[in-house]
Amino acid sequence: MYSVQEENKWTVGGRLAGTDSGGASQSSQRNFSGSCTLLGIANTISSLTGFIVPFIVGTLTDKQQTLHQWRYVFGITVAILSSTSVIFILFSSAKKQDWAESDTSNSNSTSVQDQQLHRNHQ
């Protein structure tokens, strides 16, 4: 079992892990709002691992807390992380999408916040 200090470290670490993109990507990348939506959907799906992983680990190691059983757990982890990394590498792209292009010639089409950012960067 974990000690109280270890649980507190995990809790604080989990809270800090969410600060890397919490809202910043939405305000700083207006042209990529579609990717923010995709990030939200992917984050929601990936949060399911908080329920699924403990169930799988519990099933694999129930009354069998042996190194052999834990090798299965880590093997599954390596397989999932490796396969998803390969999928990402094969299908990801940094190409700017057509929907990210904005028409700045019409000042009515930009928001007040966009106009303020433009003035601040001049």
Side-chain angles (χ1 to χ4, degrees), residues 4-15:
V4 172
Q5 290 85 6
E6 289 173 331
E7 288 183 31
N8 288 337
K9 288 177 187 177
W10 280 104
T11 302
V12 170
R15 300 272 186 228

Side-chain angles (χ1 to χ4, degrees), residues 45-96:
I45 293 170
S46 67
S47 294
L48 294 174
T49 60
F51 298 101
I52 296 170
V53 171
F55 174 76
I56 292 172
V57 171
T59 302
L60 290 173
T61 61
D62 187 35
K63 299 177 184 171
Q64 298 176 19
Q65 292 285 330
T66 64
L67 183 59
H68 186 8
Q69 290 304 111
W70 277 99
R71 283 187 181 148
Y72 285 128
V73 173
F74 292 120
I76 291 170
T77 303
V78 167
I80 291 172
L81 291 176
S82 299
S83 62
T84 55
S85 294
V86 168
I87 290 169
F88 177 78
I89 290 168
L90 292 175
F91 294 106
S92 64
S93 169
K95 180 181 172 243
K96 190 171 184 179

Side-chain angles (χ1 to χ4, degrees), residues 102-110:
S102 62
D103 181 19
T104 57
S105 62
N106 184 359
S107 63
N108 293 332
S109 67
T110 59

